[in-house]
Amino acid sequence: MERSHAADTPPGTTTTRIERSRMAPNPPADRRRRAAPLAAGIVLALAVSGFTGGSAQADAVEQIINGTFDDGHAPWWSTANLTLDSSDGRLCTDVPGGTINPWDAIIGQDNISLQTGVTYEFQFFGSATPGKVGKALIQLPVPPYTQYLAANPALTVSGDSYRYTFTSPVDLPNAQVAFQIGGSAEPWRICLDDISLLGDAEPDEYEPDTGPRVRVNQVGYLPKGPKNATVVTEATETLPWQLRNDAGAVVASGTTQPRGLDESSGQHVHSIDFGDYQKKGTGYTLTADGETSRPFDLGTDFYEQLRLDALRFYYTQRSGVEIREDLRPGYGRPAGHVGAAPNQGDMSVPCQPGVCDYTLDVSGGWYDAGDHGKYVVNGGISVHQLMSEYERSLLAPTGEFWKLRDGTLDLPESGNRVPDILDEARWEQEFLLKMQVPAGQPYAGMAHHKIHDDSWTGLPLLPHLDPKLRELHPVSTAATLNLAATAAQAARVYLPYDWRFALRNLKAAKAAWAAAQSHPEMYADPNDGNGGGAYSDDNVTDEFYWAAAELFITTGAREYRDFLLDSPLHTADVWRDRGFDWGNTAQLGRLQLATLPNGLPDRERVRQSVITGADKYLATLEAHPYGIPYAPTDNTYDWGSNNLILNNAIVMAVAFDITGTDRYRDGVLETMDYIFGRNALNQSYVTGYGEVASENQHSRWYAHQLNTDLPNPPRGTLSGGPNSSIQDPVAQQKLQGCPPQFCYLDDIESWSTNELTINWNAPLAWLVAFVADQDNGDARGRLR
């Protein structure tokens, strides 16, 4: 995930190069590591509709020198690969093709004065031949290159005027205006004119378009499942509602239930329950309080399709292999990080200086998110949940293992008589095995925490064009235990299909467990975030518990059983209100011990603890006006809140598998309503699903918003979702003071609210398969 970026100085300039704005592609902080709210002095204060107060006043003094280019173009500067021409009263230049990053070609002006609390209006006229998406920045000109304004104007051949406002959080005499215009394979021409920066501006008010006030699951509801909707209204008494079919005929009606103020959205809302209506169909709408919802279906086909799409996402995240156009039309690309220039490749990667004196072949695996990094702790939970989805399909009463059979995902491996979901998971598991320190080396058996570029790159940037040096980072106990857990799981999962691979995993798992016990407190450096996320974690008791659980389930060995029984986590309440994730994995061990056959003496108590956790999340959902099993006590949403919400729903799904009790299954279904549009923003967070859905998730290669030659993320890609900390400049410009559910932007630059990751699609895939397995919604027995 993204976070902070460092950058070099553009060639031919005396000004230090701008990091992410112009140098560093993504903002500071990797999306995966835990994020704390930014200090107030660093937060952008761009006014947001209903979210922000007034700004300080200042004289409307022009800060730009010679923004009309009536007499040359001094003091504007450029990188050495540009020749500025202002002979016709505009500033024009031909931008060479073949550059990699946006900051490889820059036009800029230095020594811009900013005052704390002053709202500024930034305007310019721009054109491009052919049309291009540019990048306009106002920022600190030295590390950490803090951006106070970041915009991506879509420049056209005919040209247009652009206007932005922001409120400065700092007093700064030497801010920088920069137009980043590199990163195009083909040459093009840009012209700029009438560039202006004035203080004493009225702040723009950001008003998200939330559409009709009736919020529904825009994808659809199971005919025999719960059907709930939310109406945003100031009415305090019940209201009539009507359900209409695609012909406009009223097929059901009733009255709303007032729910009062919803703290997570700041809205007054009512609930609608139309669960009694069960006829399959398309194009249904709900009307209440004079508003009509976006359309939705009643059926099961959409979940069956998403079962596949959520897993097909992983193929186009693969590193080290060509993505075939015939398998993913519109998403074909050359193999990334295989050593073809300018790529340096992952086949012989050195360690960071001073870390080790060997190289490893760590090719393959999945790119973690929107960047080109690969992280063991994030890969671990992701590949685990895919293998867990497969194991559930074999063991759960409603499991339909044939839906994951060979040939279902259209992979290069399809046709090899191995379920496609296991072919995809193996691509990542093979990479995790490669991250283990070889025998004979210091820390043998441990796993390197991550591998990524030595500094941040910009976006868009296709993997095969990444020119940066790749580096192995130090080993960590957390990464080692992730390897132990997934390798132990893989040993049993792959045994029917490839016994040699299964034994290789078991050997690696045992070696990793022993190494972790010898080095139980080797933590990732929280400051190691240049070029990739730090993913630091200074408490690995949960990883020890998870790894012991997987090893015990696979081997039945007393060593692992005794460790589990002696662990305080074995009897602790592990069900956090914020859910589990890559940094909180004891819950994975608890769920596995509850659902997979094993000889644990207190297994029934373990199973009951899962039911207790499910009851907790179900109670949260039932109390929540939007029906969400997630309500942190401080009313703030985390980075990747959608993933945490889905993981809480997995606990309810497992409780259903254990008990066969419908209310747990119904809780899962209602959780999916939030993901698909029954939320304050009235939008689906899954690309391609719902009338209004996320489509600009942060990514270097699914970057249509920045380069129309590139695609949006594939169907079935989950966005991270609302994040109260709004760490990126784009979100900071628009979302100050946002209620939790409103802390989201479907913008490719909003890496803190809108990134995609392998560990966010994993619970989506698991849950969608669970829902698709329910068929008509009837429980069929209990998991033994």
Side-chain angles (χ1 to χ4, degrees):
M1 307 173 178
E2 301 303 336
R3 295 253 172 177
S4 60
H5 315 270
D8 321 332
T9 302
T13 74
T14 58
T15 304
T16 304
R17 178 172 191 163
I18 315 157
E19 183 214 307
R20 162 175 149 55
S21 59
R22 76 171 194 151
M23 330 260 126
N26 287 185
D30 181 297
R31 54 207 135 103
R32 282 135 272 162
R33 62 179 197 198
R34 297 182 182 122
L38 293 183
I42 299 179
V43 174
L44 267 176
L46 201 261
V48 179
S49 146
F51 299 162
T52 336
S55 64
Q57 298 299 306
D59 293 336
V61 176
E62 180 60 67
Q63 302 297 312
I64 299 295
I65 299 174
N66 190 19
T68 57
F69 310 105
D70 294 330
D71 185 18
H73 51 263
W76 292 92
W77 55 264
S78 72
T79 47
N81 54 353
L82 302 177
T83 299
L84 301 182
D85 177 10
S86 55
S87 58
D88 68 349
R90 302 177 298 165
L91 183 63
C92 298
T93 189
D94 292 315
V95 184
T99 56
I100 302 299
N101 294 299
W103 55 83
D104 291 341
I106 307 171
I107 298 170
Q109 183 173 136
D110 298 328
N111 300 316
I112 303 298
S113 177
L114 300 179
Q115 297 179 43
T116 302
V118 173
T119 298
Y120 292 89
E121 179 183 73
F122 182 51
Q123 297 187 83
F124 60 90
F125 178 89
S127 66
T129 306
K132 290 285 181 182
V133 177
K135 187 180 292 289
L137 305 163
I138 298 176
Q139 63 191 7
L140 185 70
V142 294
Y145 306 106
T146 306
Q147 298 172 12
Y148 309 118
L149 173 70
N152 294 291
L155 305 172
T156 64
V157 174
S158 58
D160 205 347
S161 294
Y162 303 86
R163 175 187 176 276
Y164 308 93
T165 66
F166 70 101
T167 301
S168 174
V170 294
D171 285 318
L172 189 65
N174 64 332
Q176 182 180 76
V177 172
F179 294 91
Q180 291 184 4
I181 50 180
S184 174
E186 303 299 326
W188 61 291
R189 184 172 178 81
I190 185 174
C191 289
L192 299 168
D193 201 359
D194 297 327
I195 305 174
S196 172
L197 179 66
L198 293 172
D200 195 22
E202 287 295 322
D204 289 337
E205 293 189 348
Y206 172 68
E207 183 93 39
D209 181 5
T210 57
R213 289 183 289 105
V214 181
R215 312 290 160 78
V216 298
N217 178 332
Q218 296 174 29
V219 177
Y221 302 85
L222 295 187
K224 293 189 178 180
K227 304 172 193 70
N228 294 281
T230 296
V231 185
V232 180
T233 177
E234 294 295 326
T236 57
E237 303 296 328
T238 60
L239 299 168
W241 60 261
Q242 294 179 322
L243 175 68
R244 288 182 166 85
N245 62 19
D246 59 351
V250 175
V251 294
S253 61
T255 56
T256 64
Q257 176 190 357
R259 300 295 296 271
L261 175 67
D262 166 41
E263 285 191 349
S264 69
S265 65
Q267 300 169 325
H268 289 85
V269 300
H270 290 203
S271 295
I272 294 175
D273 181 348
F274 60 106
D276 289 342
Y277 188 80
Q278 298 184 359
K279 184 177 180 180
K280 289 185 177 182
T282 61
Y284 287 100
T285 57
L286 268 175
T287 299
D289 201 23
E291 297 271 328
T292 298
S293 74
R294 288 172 173 148
F296 57 90
D297 298 345
L298 266 61
T300 58
D301 291 349
F302 40 85
Y303 276 112
E304 289 293 352
Q305 183 60 47
L306 184 52
R307 182 207 300 264
L308 303 178
D309 288 343
L311 290 171
R312 285 172 176 157
F313 158 85
Y314 287 94
Y315 175 56
T316 52
Q317 289 291 118
R318 286 189 185 186
S319 175
V321 67
E322 173 193 11
I323 304 304
R324 288 169 43 183
E325 180 72 15
D326 62 316
L327 297 179
R328 297 294 184 274
Y331 292 89
R333 58 172 172 79
H337 298 98
V338 293
N343 221 224
Q344 299 195 39
D346 287 352
M347 292 80 66
S348 183
V349 178
C351 284
Q352 287 179 305
V355 171
C356 74
D357 59 4
Y358 53 82
T359 63
L360 291 181
D361 177 357
V362 290
S363 56
W366 299 318
Y367 296 118
D368 179 70
D371 61 285
H372 301 140
K374 298 185 290 189
Y375 310 80
V376 173
V377 295
N378 227 44
I381 190 172
S382 304
V383 74
H384 160 75
Q385 288 191 303
L386 263 62
M387 291 190 288
S388 176
E389 177 182 341
Y390 173 74
E391 289 186 298
R392 183 195 173 273
S393 76
L394 299 175
L395 297 172
T398 58
E400 297 175 323
F401 65 88
W402 57 91
K403 297 292 183 65
L404 301 172
R405 67 186 182 279
D406 183 25
T408 53
L409 300 182
D410 299 320
L411 300 176
E413 299 85 359
S414 293
N416 64 356
R417 299 185 180 182
V418 176
D420 277 3
I421 189 173
L422 295 187
D423 284 326
E424 192 58 72
R426 181 168 178 165
W427 190 263
E428 177 70 2
Q429 186 60 29
E430 292 269 16
F431 159 73
L432 297 181
L433 293 171
K434 293 178 180 180
M435 292 290 281
Q436 190 166 35
V437 177
Q441 297 291 346
Y443 304 115
M446 298 285 283
H448 287 277
H449 196 70
K450 57 180 181 169
I451 173 258
H452 55 65
D453 294 338
D454 63 355
S455 58
W456 284 107
T457 58
L459 69 165
L461 181 64
L462 288 165
H464 71 287
L465 297 177
D466 175 14
K468 298 284 188 177
L469 173 68
R470 308 281 276 177
E471 291 179 332
L472 289 166
H473 291 246
V475 299
S476 73
T477 308
T480 303
L481 291 167
N482 268 261
L483 175 60
T486 62
Q489 184 181 18
R492 63 177 181 267
V493 166
Y494 288 94
L495 185 60
Y497 303 103
D498 186 339
W499 64 268
R500 290 183 179 85
F501 183 60
L503 292 179
R504 178 183 164 204
N505 274 279
L506 184 58
K507 180 180 178 181
K510 291 180 176 180
W513 175 260
Q517 286 192 309
S518 297
H519 305 284
E521 296 181 346
M522 294 189 69
Y523 305 131
D525 181 357
N527 297 312
D528 185 15
N530 186 22
Y535 284 95
S536 58
D537 184 356
D538 61 2
N539 182 349
V540 296
T541 57
D542 50 330
E543 282 84 2
F544 268 110
Y545 184 78
W546 173 34
E550 296 290 3
L551 281 159
F552 176 67
I553 292 168
T554 296
T555 69
R558 179 184 295 272
E559 173 188 2
Y560 310 118
R561 183 200 67 182
D562 291 348
F563 186 94
L564 291 170
L565 296 176
D566 290 341
S567 171
L569 289 172
H570 189 55
T571 54
D573 179 4
V574 297
W575 310 115
R576 305 164 67 238
D577 59 352
R578 295 183 179 275
F580 63 85
D581 59 7
W582 65 268
N584 298 274
T585 59
Q587 297 87 338
L588 302 179
R590 185 76 61 86
L591 293 171
Q592 293 289 84
L593 291 168
T595 55
L596 296 171
N598 64 81
L600 204 64
D602 63 344
R603 184 164 178 258
E604 283 307 313
R605 185 200 59 77
V606 170
R607 289 160 68 88
Q608 184 57 51
S609 77
V610 173
I611 297 168
T612 299
D615 287 338
K616 172 182 176 179
Y617 294 135
L618 189 60
T620 300
L621 178 149
E622 291 172 344
H624 200 295
Y626 270 101
I628 314 170
Y630 176 80
T633 53
D634 60 356
N635 196 34
T636 61
Y637 276 25
D638 298 275
W639 193 315
S641 61
N642 284 343
N643 137 84
L644 298 170
I645 290 167
L646 292 177
N647 280 331
N648 284 349
I650 284 177
V651 180
M652 292 188 286
V654 172
F656 171 76
D657 285 342
I658 292 172
T659 67
T661 302
D662 287 352
R663 64 192 185 98
Y664 297 121
R665 179 206 61 209
D666 291 351
V668 173
L669 295 173
E670 193 165 353
T671 301
M672 300 309 296
D673 296 344
Y674 169 83
I675 296 296
F676 292 135
R678 186 193 173 197
N679 53 55
L681 287 169
N682 197 11
Q683 71 148 82
S684 168
Y685 289 111
V686 180
T687 302
Y689 283 82
E691 185 176 78
V692 177
S694 299
E695 62 179 3
N696 294 310
Q697 287 97 322
H698 178 83
S699 169
R700 281 166 175 73
W701 56 100
Y702 311 128
H704 186 77
Q705 187 178 355
L706 300 179
N707 181 346
T708 54
D709 293 334
L710 297 175
N712 288 122
R715 280 172 54 88
T717 301
L718 179 69
S719 167
N723 171 15
S724 296
S725 294
I726 56 172
Q727 289 94 335
D728 63 86
V730 175
Q732 291 169 2
Q733 289 168 19
K734 296 183 177 181
L735 300 180
Q736 288 301 314
C738 53
Q741 281 202 55
F742 281 99
C743 296
Y744 172 82
L745 292 171
D746 184 25
D747 189 297
I748 193 170
E749 295 282 12
S750 186
W751 40 268
S752 68
T753 77
N754 198 38
E755 195 160 15
L756 55 86
T757 77
I758 56 174
N759 62 306
W760 296 345
N761 248 64
L764 175 68
W766 195 105
L767 275 176
V768 167
F770 170 87
V771 174
D773 283 349
Q774 303 314 307
D775 296 323
N776 63 2
D778 293 330
R780 290 184 279 128
R782 296 168 54 188
L783 180 67
R784 298 298 178 187

